[in-house]
Amino acid sequence: MTVIAKPEPGVRALVDAPALLPAAIAKPELISVEQAKAMDVARITDLFKAHLNPGQLHFMKLLGFHKVKIERAEGMFYIDQNGREILDFFGGFGSLAFGHNHPRILDARRRFQEEKRQEIAIAFMSQYAAALAHNIATCSPGDLDMVFLGSSGSEAMEAAVKLAERAAGPKRPKVVYAENSFHGKTKGVLAITDGQLYRAEFKVADNAVRVPFADIDAVEHLFKCDPEIGVIVLETIQGGGGIIQAPAQYWQKLRALCDQYGVLWVADEVQCGYGRSGRFYAFEHYGVVPDVTALAKSLGGGKAAVGAMIAKRDVYMKAYGTPKTAMIHAMATFGGMGEACVTAIEALNVLYDEGLIDNAASTGDYLLQRLQALKAKYPKIVKDVRGKGFMIGLEFHDFSQTLPMVLRPVVSVLDDKLKGSLSGFVGSLLLRDYDVLVAFTEYNRNVIRLEPPLICQREHVDRFVDAFDSLLSRGIVAIVKDFVKSQVR
């Protein structure tokens, strides 16, 4: 640095100042959108293993799913790198009520973008969040009219349980949940998600009490004996448990018991709600209304991540009804984002305009009937078919029971270790040989889970059931051999 010392009066000193800006930051080797689109399966696999989930890749390889690169999706179908159309009876665990890329939903999103409307407006009231909350409340029965908007089912359930716990009060902190329940993987609801796989060694909240699902006597006993119980949280139809339902009288007695003992009932409708069961909420089949419920999955129209908690006004006001308490659980940064709300608004309109709830009821009944016929045709393989609308579980017998009589005693000692193997074999071969995608359940691994989009028609049901029939007709021994061959190719 050069400085002219003692300048003459009126003469400015000259300084060679150091550079104030650092050298330009070099751009790292990033993948562009077009490069991502052009990736082949091998490259995708390498990146998945390196940066996402190597352990999950193991299971994808077992099923043969790692060989598929989806290029696009439309309606009931995925289209892979070879132009193969894959019939989607998985439906993203119920998140694709409208199928893939519904044109009305795409158009609503396109117009939002072209008009450069606001996406994040935390400082201001959002017309889109307000309209979506109104629509959800309008679709909800009884006094369910206060809405919290989030981005996922777990977030919606966190909000539901927190609200119910606050409304129940500090003297009643205990929360009842059911065996084989699934309410999310985030830290709070992990305490009421009944799966050791997900809980692992995490420290979960110690105020949760477990009961058998659909056992109203167990619930009544708890309510009578423990005055600290303030909340009960239940899936109306258990998804991860294997598509398990309780009878109508269970829900009606539950509502009466909650009223009698002042316990708040939270109904988890994240998977079974939004028309999937043939009613907007599955609990509507039983003529009852919970105090709090939650939606997600298809609420975002298959194009946005949207979840919602819906509560009765009096319950909401007990928890957050004053200026002092209003911000305890207000919307997060991405709750009520503009385009997500617009997507959900249009999706709700499509749901009713196209009669998709009615279709879930009628075509879902047709699917059940056809699957029950398969159960009768293959009684040594198919143990049970159950569900409502387009939320159906198909359960296989334990592996040993599907084999010839002479092999059963030998194999039966391995049944626990082999649970889920037949579901995996069938799911893998349905994709490989019949271009059909199905899902599985977390706790009862002998169950194949069927949650096709609500746009599913009888022709799609026939294609799926005919494929399933053809596969089962091979017999278990041939199915096992075919699967083994697929692993060595």
Side-chain angles (χ1 to χ4, degrees):
M1 179 171 63
T2 302
V3 179
I4 298 176
K6 295 183 179 180
E8 296 179 8
V11 178
R12 180 177 296 174
L14 300 178
V15 178
D16 293 333
L20 298 179
L21 296 176
I25 297 173
K27 181 180 179 180
E29 290 189 25
L30 302 178
I31 297 170
S32 70
V33 171
E34 287 304 313
Q35 288 171 329
K37 178 182 174 182
M39 278 184 193
D40 60 17
V41 171
R43 176 65 170 151
I44 298 169
T45 301
D46 288 343
L47 294 180
F48 192 98
K49 185 176 182 180
H51 303 297
L52 285 172
N53 194 325
Q56 184 180 356
L57 183 60
H58 165 77
F59 296 105
M60 296 177 76
K61 286 182 175 180
L62 279 178
L63 295 168
F65 291 2
H66 72 297
K67 299 176 183 178
V68 178
K69 176 192 175 185
I70 299 302
E71 295 287 1
R72 61 189 183 88
E74 185 174 354
M76 287 291 297
F77 297 94
Y78 289 103
I79 297 91
D80 75 0
Q81 71 271 33
N82 301 311
R84 175 175 63 147
E85 290 190 342
I86 299 169
L87 180 64
D88 186 5
F89 260 61
F90 171 20
F93 291 121
S95 61
L96 291 164
F98 307 94
H100 299 273
N101 291 307
H102 191 287
R104 272 183 57 179
I105 294 172
L106 289 181
D107 187 57
R109 291 169 65 84
R110 177 186 57 78
R111 284 184 279 112
F112 183 93
Q113 295 164 13
E114 289 177 350
E115 295 169 10
K116 296 182 179 178
R117 289 181 259 168
Q118 82 272 16
E119 188 66 87
I120 297 176
I122 299 171
F124 310 104
M125 290 186 293
S126 165
Q127 61 268 50
Y128 310 115
L132 176 57
H134 164 83
N135 286 357
I136 292 172
T138 301
C139 294
S140 302
D143 299 325
L144 292 168
D145 58 5
M146 298 300 292
V147 178
F148 168 90
L149 296 174
S151 304
S152 70
S154 291
E155 188 181 359
M157 283 304 298
E158 292 276 2
V161 175
K162 284 180 70 177
L163 177 135
E165 187 176 326
R166 271 192 62 80
K171 293 183 179 180
R172 307 189 69 176
K174 292 187 180 178
V175 179
V176 177
Y177 70 101
E179 291 178 357
N180 294 325
S181 60
F182 182 88
H183 298 292
K185 300 176 188 175
T186 49
K187 196 63 160 40
V189 291
L190 201 57
I192 55 172
T193 289
D194 187 37
Q196 192 54 45
L197 170 66
Y198 302 121
R199 287 191 177 192
E201 289 80 37
F202 294 112
K203 174 67 176 175
V204 299
D206 59 4
N207 63 331
V209 183
R210 186 175 68 169
V211 293
F213 183 70
D215 186 341
I216 198 63
D217 292 334
V219 172
E220 185 170 15
H221 177 74
L222 270 179
F223 286 7
K224 280 182 179 178
C225 297
D226 195 341
E228 290 191 343
I229 289 172
V231 181
I232 184 167
V233 184
L234 299 166
E235 295 162 273
T236 315
I237 301 175
Q238 286 194 326
I243 317 301
I244 305 298
Q245 301 175 80
Q249 58 267 30
Y250 172 85
W251 299 108
Q252 292 156 4
K253 183 68 180 293
L254 176 71
R255 179 68 274 175
L257 286 173
C258 286
D259 292 341
Q260 179 182 348
Y261 290 96
V263 175
L264 296 174
W265 167 26
V266 177
D268 184 341
E269 293 262 339
V270 166
Q271 189 168 158
C272 62
Y274 203 81
R276 180 151 297 278
S277 73
R279 299 292 296 271
F280 188 79
Y281 293 104
F283 59 72
E284 292 183 271
H285 288 284
Y286 311 117
V288 291
V289 179
D291 301 291
V292 187
T293 188
L295 294 170
K297 301 291 186 186
S298 290
L299 186 57
K303 299 299 294 184
V306 185
M309 174 211 73
I310 312 95
K312 291 182 177 178
R313 174 172 288 274
D314 64 332
V315 176
Y316 182 91
M317 295 302 285
K318 283 180 184 178
Y320 307 128
T322 69
K324 185 177 179 180
T325 60
M327 302 304 291
I328 290 175
H329 199 91
M331 282 193 297
T333 305
F334 300 118
M337 287 183 71
E339 189 172 336
C341 288
V342 165
T343 305
I345 290 168
E346 184 68 1
L348 275 169
N349 279 276
V350 172
L351 185 70
Y352 288 95
D353 290 346
E354 297 190 358
L356 297 185
I357 301 177
D358 293 331
N359 184 62
S362 59
T363 309
D365 282 347
Y366 177 65
L367 174 58
L368 271 171
Q369 292 167 16
R370 289 223 54 194
L371 290 174
Q372 286 162 352
L374 279 192
K375 177 189 171 187
K377 186 175 181 179
Y378 303 102
K380 295 181 180 179
I381 300 176
V382 180
K383 179 180 180 180
D384 194 21
V385 174
R386 55 182 177 264
K388 272 189 190 304
F390 281 141
M391 189 171 180
I392 293 175
L394 191 150
E395 184 175 2
F396 294 113
H397 287 287
D398 282 338
F399 196 76
S400 65
Q401 301 305 303
T402 68
L403 297 172
M405 189 68 70
V406 67
L407 296 175
R408 290 183 188 179
V410 178
V411 179
S412 62
V413 297
L414 299 172
D415 274 339
D416 281 344
K417 292 184 177 180
L418 292 172
K419 267 196 186 301
S421 56
L422 184 54
S423 296
F425 299 161
V426 169
S428 175
L429 294 175
L430 279 173
L431 178 63
R432 189 193 75 177
D433 297 343
Y434 299 95
D435 305 334
V436 173
L437 181 65
V438 296
F440 311 98
T441 63
E442 288 92 336
Y443 304 135
N444 186 344
R445 290 171 290 155
N446 282 346
V447 176
I448 281 182
R449 177 172 8 195
L450 305 175
E451 296 183 3
L454 306 192
I455 62 170
C456 179
Q457 300 297 310
R458 287 193 172 206
E459 65 193 75
H460 303 120
V461 170
D462 289 339
R463 175 173 165 177
F464 164 71
V465 177
D466 290 347
F468 203 79
D469 187 6
S470 174
L471 178 56
L472 294 184
S473 71
R474 300 181 191 180
I476 294 301
V477 174
I479 288 173
V480 174
K481 286 181 177 178
D482 289 344
F483 176 80
V484 171
K485 288 178 183 177
S486 73
Q487 296 300 298
V488 298
R489 287 179 183 173

